[in-house]
Amino acid sequence: MAFNATLETNNNIATIKLSGELDGLTASVFKIEVDKAASQKVKCLVLLMQDLEYMSSAGLRVLIFAKQKMGANVDIYVVGAQETVISTLQKTGFDQSVILLDDDNISELENV
């Protein structure tokens, strides 16, 4: 499946919907959307990953870049990630740098 990253901004919240396979060939697409989100000075970044099938180390590098680029005061939410993506985040310890939510807990974002 082809990779896609779509950015929407609403009420100081940037949301990037990811789908397909995030790897070395497609990571630049994700990075461009993170750059756009960071330039809008939002208070949180929401990554909708329900349709993300795979994330390589290149995708993880963009997540680390996102954390650095957005700044320490911006929370990053990873929503609906599949088990393989969550496993990658946990093995690297990056799950401690983001807020993991499943689809059932997405309502927590309304309080942001």
Side-chain angles (χ1 to χ4, degrees):
M1 178 179 196
F3 178 75
N4 193 30
T6 308
L7 171 66
E8 290 183 18
T9 307
N10 188 15
N11 296 330
N12 293 319
I13 298 173
T15 303
I16 301 176
K17 182 175 173 64
L18 304 170
S19 63
E21 296 185 358
L22 177 53
D23 58 22
L25 296 175
T26 59
S28 62
V29 175
F30 181 27
K31 186 175 183 289
I32 288 167
E33 298 306 309
V34 168
D35 272 329
K36 289 179 192 175
S39 72
Q40 296 180 24
K41 307 291 186 210
V42 295
K43 63 181 182 178
C44 78
L45 174 63
V46 178
L47 302 174
L48 300 177
M49 294 191 172
Q50 296 90 333
D51 298 325
L52 186 66
E53 298 171 359
Y54 171 78
M55 182 177 67
S56 73
S57 60
L60 185 62
R61 283 191 295 276
V62 177
L63 281 178
I64 294 166
F65 166 79
K67 187 68 176 169
Q68 294 169 339
K69 184 81 173 181
M70 300 303 287
N73 296 329
V74 176
D75 288 326
I76 298 179
Y77 293 83
V78 173
V79 180
Q82 295 184 20
E83 191 57 41
T84 56
V85 173
I86 292 172
S87 176
T88 299
L89 295 176
Q90 290 172 334
K91 286 177 184 173
T92 60
F94 197 69
D95 62 319
Q96 302 299 310
S97 299
V98 297
I99 300 164
L100 296 173
L101 296 176
D102 58 29
D103 291 332
D104 296 333
N105 295 333
I106 198 167
S107 61
E108 291 182 29
L109 293 173
E110 294 171 5
N111 300 324
V112 174

